[in-house]
Amino acid sequence: MINLLLFPIILPFLFAIILLFFKENVRVQRSLTCVGLLISLVAALFLVAKVKADGVQAITLGSWPAPFGISMVSDMLSALLVTTTILITLFVVLYSFTAIGEERERFFYYPAILFMITGINGAFTTGDIFNMFVFFEVLLIASYLLIVLGGEKKQLRESMKYILVNVISSALFVITVAYLYSVIGTLNMADISVKIAEIGQPGIITVIAVLFLIVFGVKGSLFPLYFWLPGSYAAPPIPVLALFGALLTKVGIYAIIRTYTLFFVHDIGFTHGLLSALALLTIIAGCIGALAYFDVKQIIIYNIIIAVGVILFGAAQMNEAGLTGAVFYLIHDMLIKGALFLLIGIIVYVTGTSSLRKMGGLMNTHAPLGWMYLIAAFGLAGIPPLSGFVGKLLIVKGAFEAGNVLGSIIILASSLVVLLSVIRIFIYAFWGDPTTVELPTTNRRTYRKMMIPAAALVILSVLYGVGTEWLIPYMTDATDVLLQPSIYIDAVLKE
């Protein structure tokens, strides 16, 4: 049990350290990265099966009992997120073999990815709020390297903003944790929940709840704290953008969902009302951005922001339908964003530009790419029976049950905007007359190699939607822990 819980964190970390010794040997780096991710994926799948069979798994490191030792906890939500993270990273790494360039591969590209996965999986698994900060820093430091890799002028300019925003939010994170500790006297998340329940939720705890929302809102790009994201994410190469877009904001979202279902549940009218309002404003801001741009990268990047709003709005309803929908949509969004960014990368590779105005007629030359993109676009917009449909339907149902009719209408309207924004890419890039601009000479073999992981992710997202019936028991397990914190608390404090 101990091994399974820590494997998805320790394995990427160990392989990242080993890779540091093979800086110049790209072939060894590629092989070892794939081996490390495959072993981690197997461990994560076993962990999901273990949690399904035996309930929440918890381990307190060292010989200290909880809440004094550092607890690592894997419930169904964190186990599913860890598995999805490793799966997407594996496809992005395969895609990188042809898409990132050897120059970047030699510059600690693969170790940086594995260190980032260590931080992400650690943040999903930790049961200690200070440790969550530590794992955030691990993933951020690795992302700082990835965002500047290659050292283009645009990357360096945007990375300054990215690093500055994250350094400030990390400082605020530490201050907020210190406030919480001064009031509660513990850092163990299960113990924090117990202590807050004992004292009710006085004003100071509500203030801390809002501070946490600001900290995680910056990481997860919640309105109005998303201002840094569109520019920073557009700067690095496509494989890095795919990793950032699919995974990084999800850590902030997870942190909000975890703290707002485990600790801050005694003044829901204010804290969750605020979260709900900000989530809706995030959706609206994302919709405006997605329609305003004629750049394929920016359109999909603004769709990240829309999804953040949709997921957090579902979580803010604090009922079964809303939370199940949020969990379902969270994993859907990781898969579909990964797939879409890889496909966008191929479109940019084939046309030599990310501007829609300079594209056209790709359906005549690259039909499979067109159809794959269309399936992914429909999945993103939530066309049944694809994966976006079920999550959004449950979130809307949860909002209606909570009496939040306006929120339901905004979410349904946002689906149309999402569809319009992604279909616009399809119409401009694939339909119409071939562009008069001379296309770059592309290697068909490279194109095919890039298509394989992108198509695999699209197919995976389709299966995720079609296989809803088999997945519902897992989603229900994840939601049960969110709705009944006592399951989580008992697993940690009584292990």
Side-chain angles (χ1 to χ4, degrees):
M1 182 194 86
I2 293 175
N3 302 352
L4 276 181
L5 186 60
L6 298 177
F7 262 28
I9 304 164
I10 292 171
L11 282 170
F13 184 69
L14 281 175
F15 275 89
I17 292 170
I18 294 166
L19 286 177
L20 295 175
F21 296 101
F22 297 98
K23 181 175 179 283
E24 292 303 317
N25 196 329
V26 171
R27 190 168 287 174
V28 171
Q29 287 211 40
R30 289 175 176 179
S31 308
L32 281 175
T33 306
C34 288
V35 169
L37 286 169
L38 282 168
I39 299 171
S40 305
L41 182 60
V42 172
L45 289 168
F46 270 112
L47 178 60
V48 170
K50 178 81 176 163
V51 173
K52 183 80 189 110
D54 301 340
V56 180
Q57 302 294 307
I59 164 185
T60 303
L61 304 175
S63 50
W64 293 91
F68 306 108
I70 292 172
S71 294
M72 303 298 282
V73 189
S74 194
D75 64 345
M76 188 53 81
L77 175 61
S78 65
L80 289 172
L81 288 173
V82 162
T83 309
T84 314
T85 298
I86 296 169
L87 194 61
I88 290 167
T89 309
L90 181 61
F91 286 120
V92 173
V93 163
L94 293 172
Y95 183 87
S96 300
F97 294 168
T98 44
I100 195 81
E102 279 205 19
E103 194 56 45
R104 284 190 171 102
E105 284 181 293
R106 282 205 173 86
F107 219 84
F108 303 113
Y109 173 67
Y110 296 114
I113 287 179
L114 291 178
F115 279 128
M116 192 167 89
I117 299 311
T118 304
I120 291 170
N121 287 348
F124 287 149
T125 312
T126 184
D128 181 286
I129 195 75
F130 184 76
N131 252 39
M132 187 180 272
F133 164 75
V134 173
F135 282 120
F136 265 79
E137 291 310 295
V138 171
L139 74 91
L140 284 172
I141 289 165
S143 74
Y144 297 157
L145 170 59
L146 289 171
I147 202 170
V148 296
L149 203 59
E152 291 167 13
K153 190 177 176 185
K154 184 183 173 191
Q155 283 177 273
L156 295 172
R157 186 182 67 241
E158 289 297 340
S159 66
M160 296 303 288
K161 183 170 69 179
Y162 177 77
I163 292 170
L164 193 64
V165 165
N166 277 301
V167 165
I168 293 167
S169 82
S170 294
L172 187 59
F173 194 171
V174 175
I175 293 164
T176 310
V177 169
Y179 273 149
L180 185 64
Y181 184 74
S182 69
V183 177
I184 302 295
T186 181
L187 293 170
N188 183 293
M189 281 151 73
D191 202 35
I192 291 170
S193 183
V194 173
K195 296 280 200 302
I196 291 178
E198 284 170 5
I199 60 170
Q201 190 162 330
I204 183 67
I205 297 288
T206 305
V207 171
I208 292 167
V210 174
L211 283 173
F212 270 120
L213 189 58
I214 294 168
V215 170
F216 299 139
V218 172
K219 315 277 190 198
S221 71
L222 189 65
F223 180 89
L225 306 164
Y226 69 88
F227 61 89
W228 58 272
L229 184 133
S232 298
Y233 276 24
I238 290 286
V240 176
L241 167 58
L243 278 176
F244 282 18
L247 305 178
L248 285 197
T249 50
K250 308 306 180 287
V251 185
I253 293 171
Y254 166 80
I256 292 173
I257 292 175
R258 178 65 77 201
T259 51
Y260 270 58
T261 54
L262 189 61
F263 317 158
F264 308 121
V265 291
H266 305 281
D267 188 9
I268 285 181
F270 179 75
T271 51
H272 292 60
L274 177 65
L275 178 58
S276 205
L278 290 176
L280 292 175
L281 288 169
T282 309
I283 294 170
I284 294 165
C287 287
I288 293 167
L291 293 179
Y293 280 90
F294 267 83
D295 181 287
V296 286
K297 284 192 200 172
Q298 290 291 1
I299 291 169
I300 307 297
I301 286 169
Y302 273 98
N303 271 296
I304 297 175
I305 295 166
I306 297 171
V308 169
V310 172
I311 296 161
L312 290 176
F313 179 76
Q317 303 316 303
M318 284 301 277
N319 55 26
E320 193 175 348
L323 278 165
T324 309
V327 173
F328 212 98
Y329 201 83
L330 177 57
I331 293 168
H332 142 79
D333 195 62
M334 291 167 82
L335 292 170
I336 207 78
K337 287 295 191 303
L340 272 169
F341 280 121
L342 297 189
L343 291 167
I344 291 294
I346 301 171
I347 295 171
V348 172
Y349 170 72
V350 169
T351 58
T353 177
S354 62
S355 169
L356 282 180
R357 291 192 173 94
K358 296 177 184 169
M359 297 180 188
L362 283 180
M363 212 59 181
N364 303 330
T365 52
H366 299 80
L369 175 62
W371 293 120
M372 278 296 161
Y373 174 78
L374 194 62
I375 294 166
F378 283 161
L380 182 69
I383 306 274
L386 298 169
S387 56
F389 174 69
V390 181
K392 208 166 267 189
L393 184 72
L394 285 166
I395 289 169
V396 169
K397 182 177 176 233
F400 273 121
E401 284 175 10
N404 208 327
V405 179
L406 176 66
S408 304
I409 293 166
I410 290 174
I411 284 193
L412 292 170
S414 76
S415 297
L416 295 173
V417 175
V418 169
L419 185 60
L420 182 61
S421 70
V422 286
I423 288 299
R424 206 172 49 153
I425 296 178
F426 185 74
I427 291 167
Y428 271 84
F430 293 96
W431 277 164
D433 299 321
T435 175
T436 51
V437 181
E438 193 176 331
L439 293 176
T441 50
T442 55
N443 184 332
R444 285 305 270 197
R445 192 153 168 256
T446 304
Y447 161 73
R448 279 197 293 273
K449 279 186 179 172
M450 289 164 84
M451 272 300 285
I452 292 166
L457 260 181
V458 173
I459 292 162
L460 204 63
S461 76
V462 172
L463 292 174
Y464 181 71
V466 175
T468 304
E469 211 171 314
W470 292 290
L471 294 167
I472 283 291
Y474 294 89
M475 301 298 157
T476 310
D477 281 7
T479 312
D480 285 348
V481 177
L482 297 177
L483 282 171
Q484 301 164 35
S486 57
I487 300 173
Y488 184 96
I489 294 161
D490 292 348
V492 178
L493 298 182
K494 291 180 183 170
E495 56 94 21

